[in-house]
Amino acid sequence: MKHCIGCANGLDALKLIIKAYGFRNGDEIIVPANTYIASILAISDNGCTPVLVEPDINTYNINPDLIEEKITDKTRAVLVVHLYGQAVQMDKIWALAKKYNLKIIEDSAQAHGALYNGKCTGSLGDASGFSFYPGKNLGCLGDGGAVTTNDDELAQKIRALRNYGSHIKYHNLYQGSNSRLDEIQAAILSVKLPELDKDNKRRREISKYYRENISTSKIILPHTDNEMSHVWHIFAVRTSNRNDFQAYLKQNEIQTLIHYPIPPHKQPAYKEWNNLSFPLTEEIHDTILSLPISPVMTDDEVKKVVEVINAF
């Protein structure tokens, strides 16, 4: 991409993109219902209206076949989230964006280096937000983020918006914010970036071993159609017996996390949505559990996870 603009964190990256486009209050942005809440906060913080769409139960990404029915005369963009590290199936979304003159905004916070048709996430839409939170595939030692885009005008505006709305000190073109990428974090990222592909390769090796060797029928393993489209930021399985399964793994010194226990439409922050029903999203949030996956895991550690799970 022509422009990569550092900012304070991944949420700010998305907020800056939406603000720079100048969408008006009440403009609608389509977003997956099962995403992390940051994707949705970026929309509502700009006065826009998030329009939730169910995911594909196999990939956990937004279901492209359900987007068109949610498009109205107020729709301005589709915010796609490459959830857990897997690139969204973009072909139908590209076609819809062209048909309805919509912007495509990527939330690439979990998908550094994932490929779709040979192109990296972050280059699949009009602009993309990245997070460099320490746990990400490319992480710094604190908070950090970036926007990527080929749009010269958008990039120029975002550079000002992240710096009090200013290109020249004390000359403020916009009502901006203070959201610059800290120099120390940028230095750390510069050292780690050349290792990203190698680290992602190791994540793919671990994921492949899990998927080929976990044999219990009590959990549903994640799915991908293309190994290069997934960088396995998270290895998420589903089980109807999550509490017992998680407790069992903890007893065997295997840490797990839930990404994420409460869907956005059931959060108190969006109480106006609490009566809405998104069955697939709710099923995912009620059954999902993330197993350990990291490029620093040893082969023995990976084998232990499999052995313990198969004995459950």
Side-chain angles (χ1 to χ4, degrees):
M1 301 293 280
K2 290 170 65 176
H3 305 281
C4 181
I5 307 156
C7 61
N9 53 67
L11 172 57
D12 278 6
L14 295 175
K15 288 168 64 175
L16 287 165
I17 291 168
I18 295 170
K19 186 169 186 176
Y21 274 129
F23 299 139
R24 299 178 180 178
N25 284 356
D27 283 349
E28 296 174 351
I29 299 178
I30 290 171
V31 64
N34 64 314
T35 186
Y36 182 55
I37 200 168
S39 314
I40 296 170
L41 288 172
I43 298 170
S44 57
D45 278 2
N46 277 286
C48 297
T49 301
V51 176
L52 306 182
V53 172
E54 286 269 58
D56 182 315
I57 194 65
N58 294 311
T59 66
Y60 308 127
N61 283 331
I62 193 169
N63 188 336
D65 294 329
L66 301 179
I67 292 176
E68 189 165 19
E69 65 189 49
K70 296 295 185 77
I71 295 174
T72 72
D73 58 1
K74 294 182 179 180
T75 307
R76 298 293 176 262
V78 179
L79 197 162
V80 298
V81 182
H82 307 295
L83 198 64
Y84 302 151
Q86 180 157 215
V88 172
Q89 297 289 310
M90 295 297 298
D91 292 71
K92 292 180 180 179
I93 298 173
W94 286 331
L96 289 172
K98 184 176 181 180
K99 179 178 178 180
Y100 293 100
N101 192 29
L102 305 177
K103 297 295 183 184
I104 296 177
I105 302 168
E106 295 176 81
D107 182 340
S108 303
Q110 299 184 1
H112 312 72
L115 299 176
Y116 182 76
N117 289 349
K119 295 183 66 177
C120 276
T121 51
S123 68
L124 302 175
D126 296 286
S128 176
F130 283 91
S131 167
F132 303 126
Y133 183 76
K136 305 298 186 185
N137 291 39
L138 178 62
C140 51
L141 294 187
D143 279 311
V147 173
T148 57
T149 185
N150 281 332
D151 186 327
D152 295 336
E153 185 178 349
L154 187 75
Q156 185 181 32
K157 190 170 183 179
I158 288 173
R159 284 192 172 94
L161 286 171
R162 68 169 182 172
N163 185 41
Y164 303 104
S166 171
H167 290 298
I168 302 171
K169 196 168 185 177
Y170 305 132
H171 293 256
N172 306 92
L173 291 173
Y174 314 106
Q175 296 179 21
S177 60
N178 179 14
S179 183
R180 294 163 300 197
L181 178 62
D182 179 82
E183 290 89 340
I184 296 298
Q185 305 303 341
I188 291 164
L189 291 167
S190 295
V191 173
K192 293 181 71 175
L193 179 58
E195 304 299 315
L196 176 62
D197 288 339
K198 183 179 74 173
D199 287 348
N200 284 343
K201 181 181 178 183
R202 176 59 177 160
R203 287 176 180 271
R204 290 187 178 108
E205 290 172 354
I206 296 169
S207 165
K208 186 176 181 182
Y209 188 87
Y210 280 167
R211 287 177 288 137
E212 290 180 350
N213 291 280
I214 293 175
S215 58
T216 177
S217 60
K218 295 177 181 174
I219 66 172
I220 298 171
L221 294 170
H223 171 80
T224 182
D225 289 323
N226 185 325
E227 290 296 320
M228 296 306 292
S229 73
H230 210 318
V231 292
W232 301 102
H233 170 60
I234 289 170
F235 190 93
V237 301
R238 300 201 323 273
T239 176
S240 59
N241 198 13
R242 183 171 67 188
N243 290 342
D244 289 345
F245 183 49
Q246 187 175 35
Y248 164 78
L249 293 176
K250 184 177 181 180
Q251 290 170 1
N252 284 273
E253 300 183 323
I254 295 172
Q255 185 187 38
T256 58
L257 292 171
I258 300 173
H259 296 93
Y260 303 96
I262 305 172
H265 70 281
K266 295 299 183 182
Q267 296 282 4
Y270 290 100
K271 57 181 179 294
E272 65 273 21
W273 293 344
N274 288 175
N275 291 326
L276 297 180
S277 176
F278 292 94
L280 291 182
T281 292
E282 291 159 24
E283 178 184 342
I284 291 169
H285 285 262
D286 287 343
T287 60
I288 207 84
L289 189 70
S290 300
L291 303 183
I293 189 163
S294 164
V296 303
M297 288 179 71
T298 67
D299 288 346
D300 287 343
E301 289 170 335
V302 175
K303 290 176 182 176
K304 178 185 176 181
V305 172
V306 172
E307 291 168 359
V308 170
I309 289 174
N310 286 341
F312 176 61

